[in-house]
Amino acid sequence: MTHRSRLAGFIIDCKDAPIEESARFWSAALGFTIDDPNEGGEGKYAVLGGTPSDLHIEVQRVDHDSRVHLDIETDDIEAEVARLLALGAREVSRPHDARWVVMQAPTGQRFCVVRMKQPGKGATPNVWRAGD
Amino acid sequence: MTHRSRLAGFIIDCKDAPIEESARFWSAALGFTIDDPNEGGEGKYAVLGGTPSDLHIEVQRVDHDSRVHLDIETDDIEAEVARLLALGAREVSRPHDARWVVMQAPTGQRFCVVRMKQPGKGATPNVWRAGD
């Protein structure tokens, strides 16, 4: 059995700030476009565009302290979580009907494992065999 | 007058952990190689390789809490700092003989402005005119 994963991109978590203002700063700072100023219509997510290798770079409004977190995307969330657990990460939570898994690296950073949406775009995914 | 900048990549700051262990986890998790396990020979920096669009992704041993921070690289640090100040960021410090500038976004994240090393590699830099 094999599965695939890769760095999806990173999420810029912004505490309590209006998503439009946060997206405006980060798109201007990094020189990216705002592809979707309000993804999902909840005032929580803004997607940046024109990113290197089609990395998914998103600004999010959050309740916790501001930070940057990485997303790993995969075509098999359970296999990828198992692989990362074996590397020393731990599972933190499965929010939003378990659509993604929040994990914590042994070095302390939170990151998310999410479903791969466009395997044909961006960098070639890594292929892992069970036991890798 | 114009200057150039772009997202250089991101730095995975790891509190108090041996750099070899931190680099091993993150290279395996993200599927990147370890290009330099101990850049500078201080046990502080490990450079990952095979990254999308040649983004500079580095693992660092730090004293502060673990986090991920973004680097913006530029061919004119003063002009880029001025541009980011005008966008609402603030300057935090100029460590290591002012070789780079630590800034804080209005949304709270720390990031660094560093010198662009290889403008011909990776994504096309953004070109800014004074007053942009």
Side-chain angles (χ1 to χ4, degrees):
Chain A
M1 282 291 291
T2 62
H3 77 281
R4 295 182 293 173
S5 76
R6 67 179 168 195
L7 172 70
F10 56 82
I11 311 295
I12 304 172
D13 293 324
C14 301
K15 185 176 185 178
D16 294 339
I19 190 71
E20 297 80 5
E21 282 180 28
S22 304
R24 201 177 306 129
F25 172 79
W26 283 106
S27 72
L30 300 173
F32 298 142
T33 57
I34 300 176
D35 260 16
D36 188 339
N38 188 9
E39 188 194 38
E42 300 171 74
K44 282 188 69 177
Y45 308 104
V47 181
L48 303 185
T51 63
S53 295
D54 288 313
L55 282 179
H56 186 80
I57 303 180
E58 194 166 305
V59 179
Q60 284 190 8
R61 181 175 183 151
V62 296
D63 298 326
H64 58 70
D65 282 349
S66 289
R67 62 185 177 218
V68 174
H69 80 257
L70 304 181
D71 272 5
I72 293 175
E73 60 179 2
T74 179
D75 57 6
D76 185 335
I77 285 186
E78 294 313 320
E80 181 66 2
V81 167
R83 189 181 76 83
L84 293 160
L85 290 171
L87 292 174
R90 70 177 178 84
E91 189 176 318
V92 175
S93 63
R94 296 189 176 227
H96 291 272
D97 302 323
R99 277 187 287 149
W100 66 87
V101 179
V102 181
M103 300 193 77
Q104 182 160 321
T107 52
Q109 298 86 354
R110 297 273 167 104
F111 63 96
C112 295
V113 178
V114 304
R115 186 152 301 284
M116 191 180 286
K117 287 181 186 150
Q118 297 185 293
K121 284 184 77 175
T124 306
N126 303 288
V127 180
W128 310 106
R129 274 169 300 205
D132 269 0
Chain B
M1 283 289 292
T2 63
H3 77 280
R4 295 180 294 173
S5 75
R6 67 179 168 195
L7 173 70
F10 55 83
I11 312 295
I12 304 172
D13 292 325
C14 301
K15 184 176 185 179
D16 293 340
I19 191 71
E20 297 80 2
E21 282 179 29
S22 303
R24 201 176 308 128
F25 172 79
W26 282 106
S27 72
L30 300 173
F32 297 143
T33 56
I34 300 176
D35 261 16
D36 188 339
N38 188 10
E39 189 193 39
E42 301 171 73
K44 282 187 69 176
Y45 307 104
V47 181
L48 303 185
T51 63
S53 295
D54 288 312
L55 282 179
H56 186 80
I57 303 180
E58 194 168 306
V59 179
Q60 284 190 8
R61 181 175 182 150
V62 296
D63 298 326
H64 59 69
D65 282 348
S66 290
R67 61 186 178 217
V68 174
H69 79 254
L70 304 181
D71 271 5
I72 294 175
E73 62 180 0
T74 178
D75 58 5
D76 186 335
I77 286 186
E78 294 313 320
E80 181 65 3
V81 168
R83 188 183 76 83
L84 293 161
L85 289 171
L87 292 174
R90 69 179 178 86
E91 188 177 320
V92 174
S93 64
R94 296 188 176 227
H96 291 271
D97 302 324
R99 277 187 287 148
W100 66 87
V101 180
V102 181
M103 300 193 77
Q104 182 158 322
T107 52
Q109 298 85 353
R110 296 273 167 104
F111 63 97
C112 294
V113 178
V114 305
R115 186 153 301 286
M116 191 180 287
K117 286 178 187 153
Q118 297 185 291
K121 285 183 77 175
T124 305
N126 303 289
V127 180
W128 310 107
R129 274 170 300 206
D132 269 358

